[in-house]
Amino acid sequence: MKKLFIIGLGLTVSSLAFQAKAQTSQAAANDKMRFGIRAGANLMKMGKFQFADQYYSTDSEVGFQAGVYADLPMGGGFAFLPEVSFVQKGAKLEATVGGNTGKFDATVSYLDIPVLIGYKATPELTVFAGPQVSFLLSQKSTIGVNNDPQTETTSTENFSKSLAGGAIGLGYSITPNININGRYSMDFQKVLKDNMNQDKLKNSGFALSLGYTF
């Protein structure tokens, strides 16, 4: 019994020492100006589509994201966290109106530039929020009615070329180099231009990514 107690005590002390060393290592990394790359998946939708004075809620669409970021210490646990990312947003919609069933599926690609401020609640955990601007790159959408062949378009003529929005989320450093990042983002401006009369069609959704900090 005494031997088991000594072994257990030794393992506990070793574990605490390892944890303290890891936290010290992470805290030291947090004091440095660092840069990284990130990639992951989005689950986005476009809010509500208006047709014949009625609104129809869009369903979420899975997309891809990848980009680069900086972690610039500001002191007091705060950090400036700018990013530049390629992000796929979009939505799905299926609705029946007057006996006809319409289907809509869109993937819209943007260059997102979030300007985030983070607070390191612990050496590993960062809470962040801030504005972002999105620049339209491309879009691909399909529209179909009943069993008719679907119409596909890649024209960006009716889409807003830039959008203002915001993001809020959490980042967790698994090691000083590897981290995971989860966030909710939304655009404050509508996806389509004013002449399309779709005031409630706005991008929003969640993203989860894996990052590597150099």
Side-chain angles (χ1 to χ4, degrees), residues 73-134:
M74 298 171 61
F78 288 92
F80 180 48
L81 308 171
E83 302 179 6
V84 179
S85 298
F86 168 83
V87 181
Q88 288 182 328
K89 305 178 185 180
K92 297 178 180 179
L93 175 64
E94 182 174 340
T96 300
V97 181
N100 294 312
T101 299
K103 294 183 179 181
F104 170 75
D105 192 340
T107 299
V108 190
S109 299
Y110 294 90
L111 184 69
D112 277 8
I113 305 179
V115 182
L116 306 172
I117 298 296
Y119 176 73
K120 299 184 185 300
T122 71
E124 295 84 11
L125 181 65
T126 301
V127 183
F128 60 82
Q132 72 175 24
V133 61
S134 302

Side-chain angles (χ1 to χ4, degrees), residues 47-58 93 95 197-201:
K48 295 182 179 181
F49 184 87
Q50 183 181 2
F51 180 76
D53 296 326
Q54 186 170 347
Y55 287 100
Y56 300 88
S57 296
T58 59
L93 175 64
N197 298 318
Q198 295 293 336
D199 293 339
K200 295 185 181 296
L201 206 63

